[in-house]
Structure formats: C-alpha cells, structure tokens
Amino acid sequence: MKKIFIIVIIVVFTISCDTGRVNNNPNIPNYTVNLQLNLNFYPLLQLAGNHIVNFDVGSGARGIVIFNTGNNVYVAYDLACPNQPFNICTSAMTVSGNNATCDCDSTVYNLYTGQCPGQPYPMKQYHVEVSGGYLFVNN
C-alpha cells in the first residue's frame, strides 16, 4: 500500500509540472517552432528595445516577433491574436516599437511582458536561447 501511495504522488507531481515554455491558449493552435538565427545578420536586434518579425516556415501560427528586452535577454511571441478565435481573426498582429497590436480588436500587448491589461490570455510565448552568436527559438 505504501508503494502505491508513493507511485501516485510521483505521477501527480510529474503530470503537474509546467516547463513554462508554451502557453496553453485555446485560441492559438500548437505549431512546431524551430528557428535558428545568426545574430551577426541582425545587428539592430542586438540592441535593447529592438525587434524582428519572422514569417518563415517554423514560425508559429501567424509568425513570430523576437524582441530584445535588454542584457542579452530575448523573448519570442506568436503573432496570432491571443484573445481572438484563430479561424476568425486571420491576420498577424502589427508590431511597432515595443508593442504588438491585434488588428481584429485593437488590443495592444507589451512586448516586454506579452500582456495586455484586462485580457485573459497573454501573447503565446516561445522558448529562446542564445548560444555562440546564435539565437534559437523553439517550443
């Protein structure tokens, strides 16, 4: 009986672990994301507060914005509107400065946090790693 209890506890903890890498947003389908960018080709992205937008294959549901938050820290978000049904809101968000705007409902999301005050879902975020002059984005 003690062994069964221990096994149940281990299973519960394993299932409840969150990697923190993918938002479970019912509005945005889960597409495979696997990008590798040579930062030497994007000198402006290396400056805090700058961004690039990528619509290549492997760039999420509606494309990805990669944003430099400073101190060599980057975030990457899907450009699908997080609080609109994917099949109804078919355009990518518009990025300007450190904000992304959903054209379907005019909500504005902060690229430092991915949040929009009063909205239930933040922008869908992807895992970013910097190594050897390359930026890797995946889920």
Side-chain angles (χ1 to χ4, degrees):
M1 189 66 160
K2 186 176 179 181
K3 288 181 183 181
I4 293 174
F5 178 73
I6 292 172
I7 291 171
V8 169
I9 295 296
I10 290 171
V11 168
V12 168
F13 280 112
T14 303
I15 292 172
S16 66
C17 288
D18 179 13
T19 62
R21 292 172 62 174
V22 177
N23 299 344
N24 291 320
N25 183 326
N27 294 318
I28 304 173
N30 289 320
Y31 289 99
T32 300
V33 173
N34 192 12
L35 296 175
Q36 176 180 330
L37 302 175
N38 183 335
L39 288 172
N40 291 322
F41 296 139
Y42 303 95
L44 291 179
L45 182 60
Q46 297 178 48
L47 302 173
N50 285 334
H51 71 272
I52 63 165
V53 173
N54 191 308
F55 294 106
D56 293 342
V57 173
S59 295
R62 297 265 188 254
I64 289 179
V65 59
I66 301 168
F67 182 73
N68 184 337
T69 65
N71 296 321
N72 207 35
V73 176
Y74 296 86
V75 292
Y77 299 106
D78 203 291
L79 288 173
C81 292
N83 291 289
Q84 295 294 316
F86 186 75
N87 61 338
I88 294 174
C89 185
T90 59
S91 61
M93 296 174 76
T94 304
V95 180
S96 178
N98 49 345
N99 292 314
T101 303
C102 175
D103 295 332
C104 296
D105 63 7
S106 299
T107 53
V108 178
Y109 295 80
N110 181 297
L111 292 178
Y112 285 97
T113 64
Q115 302 282 331
C116 177
Q119 295 297 313
Y121 293 107
M123 294 177 75
K124 184 172 186 171
Q125 188 170 358
Y126 296 107
H127 176 73
V128 178
E129 184 178 330
V130 179
S131 179
Y134 285 87
L135 190 127
F136 301 92
V137 180
N138 57 52
N139 57 352

